[in-house]
């Protein structure tokens, strides 16, 4: 008997809370990778400084190091040697100056560095050719950047080139990162069969694979181009193997060929919620089975994209330790939109420069099946009865472009 009704659907806020609560209890294990290969990975634990930086007092420029009082007293000092970065800090002879290069350790007895181009060199001696700086000038002090034990990277931080440089500077060779979540994406339906009279290319699986790979998941795609229950069940069973998360598209509404819910429940999956009061995307259903989370998305591309962005995306971010909202974008709307009571509408908008920031315009769409609207949109606006959109008023949206 089919159990596909939406009589007990939940609202958007409740659905998102259930997804986040579930994610908070399902943390993938950590693994170690070389720092040089860590870009794009998520730190599994805080990373602390092994040493202070700089490790000693060092020169901030190429010039001459000397005792400030000695230069004031004599006006000119003989130069005794040169120190470069990496040299041991040999003490400075009293009443002398020493040539020094950027990053070299300050010799004991020196408390001032003056740039080479601001000094006059005559017969092996140096004298200021410009006003003498104060004592302590042009010296980077030991630990002024950070002390030993300082937290350099917080758990949950997505690593990039900045962190690579920082960790290499500390001699860190490898780093603990959260293992990439393994996601199986399954598209289904007889219309996906190449020999179907009304065959449709599968755009959902590649769309979702691209979207979820972009936030760090390891995605494999599967297809069940059939409405046959046994064949669909076999495909789902194969796709579940080794996956942390399974995402299906299609077959989750109330039609005669919508078998996903019954197949999964018959296999022992427990329904977390069945249907969400959103448009598009109401059929979204989330289940769990033996520690695996299963997102059943609608088959229409626009609805599938919105459900993935609003639910699968935050779930994956949370299990990767990035439980933080994506930065929103604020724009002034040039249209008005209202939502029915209890329903959250998601509206694609384009953004345009205005005299006082961004302006947003509604992107024309033919509904949940629309696939071109997203290619023309820059953000999604959420509209509720309590938060309508009004022309001339600011609205917050979820950016769709990586450069926003």
């Amino acid at each position: 008997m089919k159990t596909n009704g939406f009589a007990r659907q939940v609202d958007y806020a409740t659905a998102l809370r259930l997804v986040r609560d579930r994610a908070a209890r399902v943390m993938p294990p950590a693994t170690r990778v070389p720092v040089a290969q860590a870009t794009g990975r998520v730190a599994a634990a805080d990373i602390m400084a092994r040493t202070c930086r700089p490790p000693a007092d060092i020169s901030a420029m190429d010039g001459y190091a000397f005792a400030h009082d000695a230069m004031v007293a004599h006006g000119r000092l003989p130069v005794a040697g040169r120190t470069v970065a990496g040299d041991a800090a040999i003490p400075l002879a009293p009443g002398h100056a020493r040539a020094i290069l950027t990053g070299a350790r300050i010799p004991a007895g020196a408390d001032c560095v003056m740039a080479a181009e601001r000094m006059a060199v005559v017969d092996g001696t140096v004298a200021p050719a410009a006003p003498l700086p104060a004592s302590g000038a042009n010296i980077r002090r030991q630990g002024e950047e950070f002390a030993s034990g300082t937290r350099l990277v917080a758990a949950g931080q997505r690593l990039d080139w900045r962190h690579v440089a920082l960790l290499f500077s500390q001699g860190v060779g490898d780093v603990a990162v959260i293992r990439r979540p393994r996601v199986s994406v399954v598209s289904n339906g007889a219309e996906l069969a190449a020999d179907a009279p009304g065959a449709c290319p599968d755009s959902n699986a590649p769309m979702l694979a691209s979207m979820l790979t972009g936030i760090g998941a390891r995605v494999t795609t599967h297809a069940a181009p059939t409405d046959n229950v046994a064949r669909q069940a076999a495909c789902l069973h194969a796709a579940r193997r080794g996956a942390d998360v399974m995402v299906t598209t299609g077959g989750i509404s109330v039609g005669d060929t919508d078998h996903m819910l019954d197949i999964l429940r018959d296999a022992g999956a427990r329904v977390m919620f069945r249907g969400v009061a959103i448009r598009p995307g109401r059929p979204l259903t989330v289940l769990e089975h033996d520690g695996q989370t299963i997102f059943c998305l609608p088959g229409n591309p626009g609805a599938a994209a919105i459900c993935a962005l609003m639910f699968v995306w935050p779930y994956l971010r949370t299990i990767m330790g990035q439980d933080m909202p994506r930065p929103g974008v604020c724009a002034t709307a040039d249209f008005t939109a209202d939502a029915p009571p209890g329903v959250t509408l998601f509206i694609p908008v384009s953004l345009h420069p205005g005299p006082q920031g961004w302006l947003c315009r509604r992107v024309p769409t033919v509904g949940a099946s629309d696939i071109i609207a997203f290619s023309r949109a820059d953000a999604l606006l959420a509209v509720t009865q309590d938060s309508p959109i009004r022309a001339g008023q600011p609205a917050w949206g979820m950016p769709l472009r990586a450069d926003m």
Side-chain angles (χ1 to χ4, degrees):
M1 183 179 70
K2 278 194 172 291
T3 53
N4 280 354
F6 299 114
R8 299 180 64 184
Q9 72 179 11
V10 297
D11 60 35
Y12 171 62
T14 299
L16 186 58
R17 176 180 58 77
L18 290 170
V19 165
R20 288 188 177 278
D21 287 349
R22 165 78 179 163
R25 301 191 297 272
V26 185
M27 301 298 288
T31 186
R32 298 197 75 86
V33 298
V35 172
Q37 299 173 21
T39 295
R41 305 301 293 270
V42 177
D46 292 347
I47 304 173
M48 316 304 286
R50 295 177 174 181
T51 62
C52 61
R53 181 177 168 88
D57 291 351
I58 61 173
S59 176
M61 58 181 57
D62 295 343
Y64 293 88
F66 50 83
H68 188 271
D69 287 347
M71 185 64 78
V72 170
H74 302 288
R76 177 178 295 277
L77 299 173
V79 178
R82 184 180 71 157
T83 301
V84 303
D87 282 353
I90 299 172
L92 183 66
H96 287 71
R98 179 175 298 156
I100 194 166
L101 300 187
T102 304
R105 296 186 177 223
I106 301 296
D111 61 7
C112 186
V113 173
M114 192 166 181
E117 63 271 20
R118 297 174 65 84
M119 301 196 80
V121 182
V122 179
D123 296 331
T125 64
V126 290
L132 182 67
S135 175
N138 304 316
I139 296 174
R140 291 192 57 205
R141 296 299 179 184
Q142 181 181 28
E144 70 177 19
E145 190 173 339
F146 53 79
S148 177
T150 298
R151 186 173 70 174
L152 301 180
V153 177
Q157 172 69 56
R158 192 168 188 180
L159 304 174
D160 59 30
W161 59 269
R162 300 167 300 165
H163 310 103
V164 170
L166 182 59
L167 297 177
F168 265 104
S169 78
Q170 287 286 289
V172 176
D174 56 62
V175 61
V177 296
I178 293 175
R179 175 175 58 73
R180 296 183 189 273
R182 297 167 297 195
V183 180
S184 287
V185 174
V186 183
S187 52
N188 73 88
E191 70 277 11
L192 302 180
D195 58 354
C200 299
D202 179 14
S203 61
N204 281 352
M207 171 186 72
L208 294 169
S210 177
M211 179 192 299
L212 303 181
T213 298
I215 60 169
R218 293 175 54 192
V219 181
T220 57
T221 58
H222 309 262
T226 178
D227 290 331
N228 179 275
V229 175
R231 292 176 185 172
Q232 287 183 340
C235 180
L236 289 177
H237 179 70
R240 284 194 61 231
R241 277 194 216 106
D244 301 305
V245 178
M246 186 165 72
V247 180
T248 72
T249 67
I252 196 58
S253 192
V254 294
D256 291 339
T257 59
D258 291 320
H259 307 307
M260 287 295 101
L261 180 59
D262 290 319
I263 291 172
L264 291 167
R265 292 188 68 170
D266 288 347
R270 181 186 70 85
V271 176
M272 290 173 51
F273 58 83
R274 166 65 174 151
V276 187
I278 60 175
R279 294 182 188 170
R282 184 177 73 154
L284 172 70
T285 301
V286 180
L287 309 92
E288 64 88 18
H289 190 194
D290 292 338
Q292 183 184 76
T293 306
I294 305 169
F295 293 86
C296 296
L297 314 185
N300 279 321
I306 285 173
C307 289
L309 288 168
M310 297 303 170
F311 295 97
V312 184
W313 199 326
Y315 178 86
L316 292 176
R317 286 179 60 86
T318 300
I319 69 173
M320 289 191 294
Q322 300 181 77
D323 189 12
M324 61 191 81
R326 292 192 70 207
V329 59
C330 186
T332 301
D334 76 344
F335 64 95
T336 293
D338 294 282
V343 175
T344 300
L345 301 181
F346 291 105
I347 298 176
V349 296
S350 59
L351 300 177
H352 308 270
Q356 296 180 327
W358 290 111
L359 300 175
C360 67
R361 297 173 185 161
R362 192 168 189 162
V363 173
T365 175
V366 297
S369 63
D370 199 329
I371 203 167
I372 197 170
F374 277 91
S375 70
R376 295 170 174 167
D378 300 306
L380 277 178
L381 301 186
V383 186
T384 66
Q385 185 179 36
D386 295 331
S387 300
I389 302 298
R390 292 292 178 261
Q393 298 298 313
W396 282 90
M398 175 184 178
L400 298 176
R401 288 168 26 196
D403 60 346
M404 299 188 70

